[in-house]
PDB file of all heavy atoms in Angstrom:
ATOM      1  N   TYR A  92      -4.148  22.386   6.699  1.00  0.00           N
ATOM      2  CA  TYR A  92      -3.587  23.708   6.459  1.00  0.00           C
ATOM      3  C   TYR A  92      -2.463  23.848   7.513  1.00  0.00           C
ATOM      4  O   TYR A  92      -2.721  23.872   8.715  1.00  0.00           O
ATOM      5  CB  TYR A  92      -4.568  24.860   6.520  1.00  0.00           C
ATOM      6  CG  TYR A  92      -3.963  26.203   6.424  1.00  0.00           C
ATOM      7  CD1 TYR A  92      -3.026  26.534   5.442  1.00  0.00           C
ATOM      8  CD2 TYR A  92      -4.376  27.191   7.277  1.00  0.00           C
ATOM      9  CE1 TYR A  92      -2.496  27.796   5.309  1.00  0.00           C
ATOM     10  CE2 TYR A  92      -3.851  28.478   7.159  1.00  0.00           C
ATOM     11  CZ  TYR A  92      -2.834  28.792   6.257  1.00  0.00           C
ATOM     12  OH  TYR A  92      -2.314  29.983   6.193  1.00  0.00           O
ATOM     13  N   LEU A  93      -1.181  24.051   7.021  1.00  0.00           N
ATOM     14  CA  LEU A  93      -0.062  24.362   7.913  1.00  0.00           C
ATOM     15  C   LEU A  93      -0.274  25.815   8.334  1.00  0.00           C
ATOM     16  O   LEU A  93      -0.282  26.694   7.553  1.00  0.00           O
ATOM     17  CB  LEU A  93       1.287  24.216   7.211  1.00  0.00           C
ATOM     18  CG  LEU A  93       1.725  22.729   6.983  1.00  0.00           C
ATOM     19  CD1 LEU A  93       1.704  21.897   8.267  1.00  0.00           C
ATOM     20  CD2 LEU A  93       0.973  21.956   5.906  1.00  0.00           C
ATOM     21  N   SER A  94      -0.340  25.999   9.706  1.00  0.00           N
ATOM     22  CA  SER A  94      -0.597  27.291  10.183  1.00  0.00           C
ATOM     23  C   SER A  94      -0.095  27.490  11.602  1.00  0.00           C
ATOM     24  O   SER A  94      -0.175  26.549  12.447  1.00  0.00           O
ATOM     25  CB  SER A  94      -2.161  27.508  10.201  1.00  0.00           C
ATOM     26  OG  SER A  94      -2.497  28.582  11.058  1.00  0.00           O
ATOM     27  N   PRO A  95       0.552  28.661  11.934  1.00  0.00           N
ATOM     28  CA  PRO A  95       0.928  28.841  13.300  1.00  0.00           C
ATOM     29  C   PRO A  95      -0.203  28.777  14.281  1.00  0.00           C
ATOM     30  O   PRO A  95       0.107  28.702  15.539  1.00  0.00           O
ATOM     31  CB  PRO A  95       1.714  30.204  13.301  1.00  0.00           C
ATOM     32  CG  PRO A  95       1.237  30.907  12.048  1.00  0.00           C
ATOM     33  CD  PRO A  95       0.793  29.819  11.086  1.00  0.00           C
ATOM     34  N   GLY A 119       0.732  27.841   3.163  1.00  0.00           N
ATOM     35  CA  GLY A 119       0.494  29.272   2.904  1.00  0.00           C
ATOM     36  C   GLY A 119       1.770  29.973   2.641  1.00  0.00           C
ATOM     37  O   GLY A 119       2.809  29.491   2.902  1.00  0.00           O
ATOM     38  N   TYR A 121       3.012  34.542   2.286  1.00  0.00           N
ATOM     39  CA  TYR A 121       2.629  35.893   2.515  1.00  0.00           C
ATOM     40  C   TYR A 121       1.912  35.954   3.945  1.00  0.00           C
ATOM     41  O   TYR A 121       2.508  35.395   4.944  1.00  0.00           O
ATOM     42  CB  TYR A 121       1.650  36.439   1.433  1.00  0.00           C
ATOM     43  CG  TYR A 121       2.118  36.085   0.066  1.00  0.00           C
ATOM     44  CD1 TYR A 121       1.257  35.319  -0.738  1.00  0.00           C
ATOM     45  CD2 TYR A 121       3.330  36.448  -0.410  1.00  0.00           C
ATOM     46  CE1 TYR A 121       1.697  34.936  -2.010  1.00  0.00           C
ATOM     47  CE2 TYR A 121       3.755  36.065  -1.658  1.00  0.00           C
ATOM     48  CZ  TYR A 121       2.934  35.267  -2.501  1.00  0.00           C
ATOM     49  OH  TYR A 121       3.319  34.916  -3.784  1.00  0.00           O
ATOM     50  N   GLU A 122       0.765  36.647   4.070  1.00  0.00           N
ATOM     51  CA  GLU A 122       0.043  36.730   5.362  1.00  0.00           C
ATOM     52  C   GLU A 122      -0.809  35.492   5.588  1.00  0.00           C
ATOM     53  O   GLU A 122      -1.558  35.406   6.627  1.00  0.00           O
ATOM     54  CB  GLU A 122      -0.826  38.008   5.386  1.00  0.00           C
ATOM     55  CG  GLU A 122       0.017  39.259   5.423  1.00  0.00           C
ATOM     56  CD  GLU A 122       1.066  39.281   6.530  1.00  0.00           C
ATOM     57  OE1 GLU A 122       0.756  38.888   7.639  1.00  0.00           O
ATOM     58  OE2 GLU A 122       2.235  39.704   6.233  1.00  0.00           O
ATOM     59  N   GLY A 123      -0.845  34.547   4.748  1.00  0.00           N
ATOM     60  CA  GLY A 123      -1.596  33.344   4.909  1.00  0.00           C
ATOM     61  C   GLY A 123      -2.667  33.272   3.800  1.00  0.00           C
ATOM     62  O   GLY A 123      -2.592  33.925   2.751  1.00  0.00           O
ATOM     63  N   SER A 138       0.217  23.245  13.401  1.00  0.00           N
ATOM     64  CA  SER A 138       1.362  24.109  13.607  1.00  0.00           C
ATOM     65  C   SER A 138       2.601  23.315  13.996  1.00  0.00           C
ATOM     66  O   SER A 138       2.452  22.301  14.660  1.00  0.00           O
ATOM     67  CB  SER A 138       1.106  25.070  14.813  1.00  0.00           C
ATOM     68  OG  SER A 138       2.335  25.737  15.185  1.00  0.00           O
ATOM     69  N   VAL A 139       3.797  23.693  13.510  1.00  0.00           N
ATOM     70  CA  VAL A 139       4.976  23.012  13.974  1.00  0.00           C
ATOM     71  C   VAL A 139       5.664  23.686  15.160  1.00  0.00           C
ATOM     72  O   VAL A 139       6.741  23.230  15.594  1.00  0.00           O
ATOM     73  CB  VAL A 139       6.023  22.839  12.779  1.00  0.00           C
ATOM     74  CG1 VAL A 139       5.491  21.943  11.702  1.00  0.00           C
ATOM     75  CG2 VAL A 139       6.387  24.165  12.194  1.00  0.00           C
ATOM     76  N   GLY A 140       5.044  24.661  15.690  1.00  0.00           N
ATOM     77  CA  GLY A 140       5.628  25.366  16.905  1.00  0.00           C
ATOM     78  C   GLY A 140       5.237  26.813  17.073  1.00  0.00           C
ATOM     79  O   GLY A 140       4.700  27.345  16.055  1.00  0.00           O
ATOM     80  N   TYR A 142       6.201  29.709  16.559  1.00  0.00           N
ATOM     81  CA  TYR A 142       7.021  30.729  15.863  1.00  0.00           C
ATOM     82  C   TYR A 142       6.527  30.748  14.432  1.00  0.00           C
ATOM     83  O   TYR A 142       5.684  29.945  14.076  1.00  0.00           O
ATOM     84  CB  TYR A 142       8.596  30.228  15.875  1.00  0.00           C
ATOM     85  CG  TYR A 142       8.726  28.842  15.512  1.00  0.00           C
ATOM     86  CD1 TYR A 142       8.708  28.427  14.152  1.00  0.00           C
ATOM     87  CD2 TYR A 142       8.812  27.821  16.488  1.00  0.00           C
ATOM     88  CE1 TYR A 142       8.824  27.097  13.833  1.00  0.00           C
ATOM     89  CE2 TYR A 142       8.906  26.500  16.137  1.00  0.00           C
ATOM     90  CZ  TYR A 142       8.938  26.087  14.846  1.00  0.00           C
ATOM     91  OH  TYR A 142       9.086  24.729  14.502  1.00  0.00           O
ATOM     92  N   VAL A 143       6.914  31.688  13.751  1.00  0.00           N
ATOM     93  CA  VAL A 143       6.338  31.885  12.374  1.00  0.00           C
ATOM     94  C   VAL A 143       7.472  31.657  11.303  1.00  0.00           C
ATOM     95  O   VAL A 143       8.483  32.258  11.324  1.00  0.00           O
ATOM     96  CB  VAL A 143       5.721  33.305  12.236  1.00  0.00           C
ATOM     97  CG1 VAL A 143       5.307  33.535  10.746  1.00  0.00           C
ATOM     98  CG2 VAL A 143       4.587  33.369  13.154  1.00  0.00           C
ATOM     99  N   THR A 144       7.199  30.732  10.427  1.00  0.00           N
ATOM    100  CA  THR A 144       8.101  30.533   9.262  1.00  0.00           C
ATOM    101  C   THR A 144       7.524  31.296   8.068  1.00  0.00           C
ATOM    102  O   THR A 144       6.350  31.832   8.038  1.00  0.00           O
ATOM    103  CB  THR A 144       8.190  29.008   8.869  1.00  0.00           C
ATOM    104  OG1 THR A 144       6.827  28.584   8.568  1.00  0.00           O
ATOM    105  CG2 THR A 144       8.726  28.233  10.025  1.00  0.00           C
ATOM    106  N   GLY A 146       6.771  30.400   5.112  1.00  0.00           N
ATOM    107  CA  GLY A 146       5.826  29.698   4.329  1.00  0.00           C
ATOM    108  C   GLY A 146       5.456  28.370   4.919  1.00  0.00           C
ATOM    109  O   GLY A 146       6.212  27.953   5.932  1.00  0.00           O
ATOM    110  N   GLY A 147       4.454  27.671   4.389  1.00  0.00           N
ATOM    111  CA  GLY A 147       4.105  26.409   4.982  1.00  0.00           C
ATOM    112  C   GLY A 147       4.932  25.272   4.465  1.00  0.00           C
ATOM    113  O   GLY A 147       4.700  24.153   4.881  1.00  0.00           O
ATOM    114  N   PRO A 150       7.236  23.581   7.272  1.00  0.00           N
ATOM    115  CA  PRO A 150       6.366  22.783   8.186  1.00  0.00           C
ATOM    116  C   PRO A 150       5.747  21.581   7.502  1.00  0.00           C
ATOM    117  O   PRO A 150       5.678  20.499   8.084  1.00  0.00           O
ATOM    118  CB  PRO A 150       5.226  23.811   8.504  1.00  0.00           C
ATOM    119  CG  PRO A 150       5.906  25.164   8.457  1.00  0.00           C
ATOM    120  CD  PRO A 150       6.905  25.000   7.344  1.00  0.00           C
TER     121      PRO A 150
HETATM  122  N1  SAM B 301       0.346  36.132   9.330  1.00  0.00           N
HETATM  123  C1  SAM B 301       0.409  34.832   9.790  1.00  0.00           C
HETATM  124  C2  SAM B 301       0.257  34.765  11.319  1.00  0.00           C
HETATM  125  O1  SAM B 301       0.843  35.589  11.958  1.00  0.00           O
HETATM  126  O2  SAM B 301      -0.442  33.825  11.838  1.00  0.00           O
HETATM  127  C3  SAM B 301       1.641  34.150   9.408  1.00  0.00           C
HETATM  128  C4  SAM B 301       1.866  33.881   7.920  1.00  0.00           C
HETATM  129  S1  SAM B 301       3.351  33.029   7.618  1.00  0.00           S
HETATM  130  C5  SAM B 301       4.451  34.348   7.207  1.00  0.00           C
HETATM  131  C6  SAM B 301       3.077  32.348   6.017  1.00  0.00           C
HETATM  132  C7  SAM B 301       2.613  30.809   6.076  1.00  0.00           C
HETATM  133  O3  SAM B 301       3.649  30.104   6.698  1.00  0.00           O
HETATM  134  C8  SAM B 301       1.371  30.576   6.819  1.00  0.00           C
HETATM  135  O4  SAM B 301       0.256  30.799   6.024  1.00  0.00           O
HETATM  136  C9  SAM B 301       1.486  29.088   7.190  1.00  0.00           C
HETATM  137  O5  SAM B 301       1.100  28.240   6.028  1.00  0.00           O
HETATM  138  C10 SAM B 301       3.048  28.992   7.282  1.00  0.00           C
HETATM  139  N2  SAM B 301       3.493  28.908   8.728  1.00  0.00           N
HETATM  140  C11 SAM B 301       4.132  29.858   9.369  1.00  0.00           C
HETATM  141  N3  SAM B 301       4.497  29.510  10.613  1.00  0.00           N
HETATM  142  C12 SAM B 301       3.944  28.223  10.718  1.00  0.00           C
HETATM  143  C13 SAM B 301       3.989  27.313  11.785  1.00  0.00           C
HETATM  144  N4  SAM B 301       4.475  27.596  12.976  1.00  0.00           N
HETATM  145  N5  SAM B 301       3.396  26.084  11.634  1.00  0.00           N
HETATM  146  C14 SAM B 301       2.895  25.794  10.406  1.00  0.00           C
HETATM  147  N6  SAM B 301       2.859  26.630   9.358  1.00  0.00           N
HETATM  148  C15 SAM B 301       3.374  27.870   9.551  1.00  0.00           C
END
Side-chain angles (χ1 to χ4, degrees):
Y92 171 47
L93 282 309
S94 160
Y121 319 120
E122 292 307 316
S138 165
V139 293
Y142 47 83
V143 174
T144 59

